[in-house]
Structures are given as structure tokens and as C-alpha cells.
Amino acid sequence: MGKEETYEDTVLLVTPEEMSKERLSQFSVLESAKDFHEKLLRFGELKKGLAQRGLKFGGRVLLIGNVGTDFEAFIQHLTLEIPIKLVRVRLERVLSRQNQVSVSVGIWFEFARRNAPCILYFERVENLAPQSSQESAMLTLEMERVSWDEDEVLVVASTSNPREIDRDFLSTFDRTYLSEGTTLEDRIRLMESVLRGRSDLDPGVIAELTEGRSFQEMKNLGVDLLMKEPGGDEPVSREHLERIIEDSQVLPVARKRHFDSFVLRAEGRQPPPLEAAEQVYPDDFLDQLYLMAVGNDYQQTQKVIETLNSGLPLSAQDHEFLSDYPFLLKGTPEDRLTRLLRAKKSNDRLRRIMGR
């Protein structure tokens, strides 16, 4: 197979004119795209000064979000607004020929350079750069060699499973945008667009009742609500809307907490409420559990404890973290902080002993 045939087989080139302009986009992701676009414009003004200081803009962006996040909104905005060509790695072709990934890596980047200026986009990048793999090593080397400064190539990658990605590869990104799920404004704007003309369905109330749902789940729910026959021009009550949403068969399975709950119910069991955590964990076992949480993610453990202790509302990410570590709900604020500090000291000592 010739080189040009290989290009055509593993990547897809899309021009701004070919990009669809009619789509429902996640507002918070669009805001991230606008922020990056502003930085890119600013780089145009400061390029010479950065070079004189031995600095680079880079232009390698990682998008992290839960399953169902509208990463495409980021790509579409940049493609249309810069405007710029898009080189999309065809994941379905790559996964069907897993043994050829290492050979294809260089082809993707070379193709992007040939079509510069452009965006090189990797969706679900955890499938291309698993930890300690030959594929991730090749991708890391290529990422270190490409930049907007010298090649006019922007690299954007998206993932919902960052823990599965090789750490060396992750370190090549100079900017990361994190989506912690849909915001209230995301959901309101989407429902206003989907349910336009339906005076009986209040987008604001629906948005309030659907906290924690992904953007894709919200679109599915919007379609289901739109297909229901209107009962009149008067707005449906909040209680009735809540029942309609519960009976919609559009389940919020993107988040682990919700998914585990549905699995338990399908098995005929009821998930224990988070409030029951105080009765589940014996006191002498808590220190070991805290050490496990701190070892896995100290910053998020500290953030959740500070939020719990301050009495502030928990974010969707906090709720998901607590579904994995519900024992953090046990005890007084002082007890949580004491156990956190003790676990941090123990974890630091273990890391020193292990030479990490």
C-alpha cells in the first residue's frame, strides 16, 4: 500500500466549508474553545517576544470530561472561527488494525504538517496511548516534535478515561481543559433549543431536575420530552416534570454512581444511601481507607473534605468521588482533617521508602 493510500485510510481531512454549522453544542465546552482561541490570537501578537525568551506557545490541548461530554463543540468552534482545516484520526480504522498503530503514528503527524495550518484531533485518546505501551512512546516522541510555533499544527486530544493514558504522553500537553459535567447553564441552553415552542415544558425546571446528567444524556432526554404530546399551554408542574423525567427511560448512566445504582436495581438490590456510610466503616479501619484515598488522589480528597467541612454544595465531580470513597462522610470536620493529615504523612513516608 502506498503512502498516500495509507493517509487516506487512517486520517480524514475536513475543511471549514465542509464542517456542519447546524448543531447543538455544550455551552461550557464552547467557552473553553473561545478561551483557547483568544490565547491563540494573543500568541500571534507575542510570537517574536516568546521566541526571544526561548519560549513556545506549543498548541497541544487535552480535553477531559465525563462520558457524554460534547468535545466536538471545541473542535467545531476552532475549525470555523480561526478558520482552519481539521485532520481527524479515524479511530474506528485504527482500532480494527491495532498492530499497525505504531507505524501509523508518524503518518498522522506528517500528514498534519503537509496540510498545515490545521488541527490534528485524537478522540478517545486513551485507546491510542495506553500506559507503558509502544504506541504511547511513539505518540510522545511525535508530540514533542510538533508545535504551532514551528509547524502551524494544533494538536487536540479528548478523553473520558485519563487514568488509562500514559503519563509521559500526558506531560506533552501544554493546556488541559476539564469539563466536570454539564453546568446548569449548559442544560438550560440545550433545553431552550430543543424544546423551542413547547410552553408546557420549562427548560429551567428541567435543568434543575437533571443535575449530573451528561450533555448527550440531556439531548436524548430532550428528544424524548419533545415527542410527548403537549397537555396544553400551561407549564407542567415541577412534580409532574420530575415524574415525566423519571419515566422517560433515558437513564443517566454516564456517571459511575448512577450506573452502579442501576446495576444494583437490575439485580434486585437497593443501593445503600451515602448517609449510611457512618454506620458501615469501623473507626479503626478508617485510617487505612484514608491512606488509600490520599494515595490515589490527594488533591481531590482534600478538596472534597474542605467542601464537606465548609458546608458548601458538592459538585458533580465531588459526588462521583464520594461514590468511590463514601467513608469521607463519616466523622466531624476536625476528625476528617486529622485523618487526612495523618494519611498524607504516611503516604509521603511510603513514597520516600519506595524511592518515588
Side-chain angles (χ1 to χ4, degrees), residues 24 190-191 194-195 198 201 216-229 248 250:
L24 296 172
L190 176 61
M191 288 297 106
V194 173
L195 303 176
R198 288 292 299 269
L201 300 173
Q216 184 59 52
E217 289 168 347
M218 290 301 299
K219 285 203 297 184
N220 295 341
L221 177 62
V223 171
D224 191 79
L225 293 174
L226 188 62
M227 293 175 66
K228 294 186 180 298
E229 288 289 338
S248 67
V250 181

Side-chain angles (χ1 to χ4, degrees), residues 201 205-206 209-210 213 221 224-225 228 235-251 265:
L201 300 173
V205 175
I206 295 171
L209 293 171
T210 50
R213 292 191 182 230
L221 177 62
D224 191 79
L225 293 174
K228 294 186 180 298
V236 175
S237 68
R238 184 184 184 91
E239 292 74 19
H240 190 196
L241 262 180
E242 190 168 13
R243 288 196 299 273
I244 291 174
I245 293 171
E246 288 177 355
D247 296 339
S248 67
Q249 282 78 54
V250 181
L251 301 179
R265 285 161 59 184

Side-chain angles (χ1 to χ4, degrees), residues 142-201:
E142 291 291 347
M143 286 282 284
E144 291 172 345
R145 295 170 182 162
V146 71
S147 71
W148 180 254
D149 309 64
E150 298 169 353
D151 306 293
E152 290 194 308
V153 173
L154 299 172
V155 180
V156 180
S158 61
T159 181
S160 295
N161 295 291
R163 291 184 180 180
E164 298 180 10
I165 302 175
D166 185 82
R167 292 293 182 87
D168 288 339
F169 175 68
L170 286 175
S171 69
T172 63
F173 292 94
D174 38 70
R175 288 163 189 83
T176 299
Y177 289 95
L178 174 63
S179 175
E180 298 185 35
T182 54
T183 65
L184 180 63
E185 188 167 8
D186 285 340
R187 299 192 296 278
I188 290 176
R189 285 173 175 264
L190 176 61
M191 288 297 106
E192 286 177 341
S193 296
V194 173
L195 303 176
R196 187 170 56 250
R198 288 292 299 269
S199 58
D200 58 319
L201 300 173

Side-chain angles (χ1 to χ4, degrees), residues 23-38:
R23 75 183 304 272
L24 296 172
S25 296
Q26 186 171 344
F27 177 74
S28 58
V29 177
L30 278 178
E31 290 297 293
S32 297
K34 291 176 183 177
D35 176 79
F36 180 72
H37 189 194
E38 290 176 2

Side-chain angles (χ1 to χ4, degrees), residues 127-141:
N127 292 289
L128 301 176
Q131 295 183 23
S132 304
S133 64
Q134 182 179 1
E135 294 86 356
S136 63
M138 294 292 295
L139 273 168
T140 300
L141 288 173

Side-chain angles (χ1 to χ4, degrees), residues 15 19 29 34 45 61 64 68 71 82 86 88 123 137 161 190 200-201 206-207 223 239 242 254 275 324 329 340 344:
T15 64
M19 179 72 72
V29 177
K34 291 176 183 177
E45 301 171 3
V61 181
I64 300 178
F71 297 123
I82 293 178
L86 171 65
R88 182 190 295 271
E123 62 179 322
N161 295 291
L190 176 61
D200 58 319
L201 300 173
I206 295 171
V223 171
E239 292 74 19
E242 190 168 13
E275 291 78 4
D324 292 330
L329 290 162
L340 175 67
K344 181 67 166 62

Side-chain angles (χ1 to χ4, degrees), residues 46 81 152 267 274:
L46 300 177
E81 296 299 322
E152 290 194 308
E267 294 172 347
L274 288 178

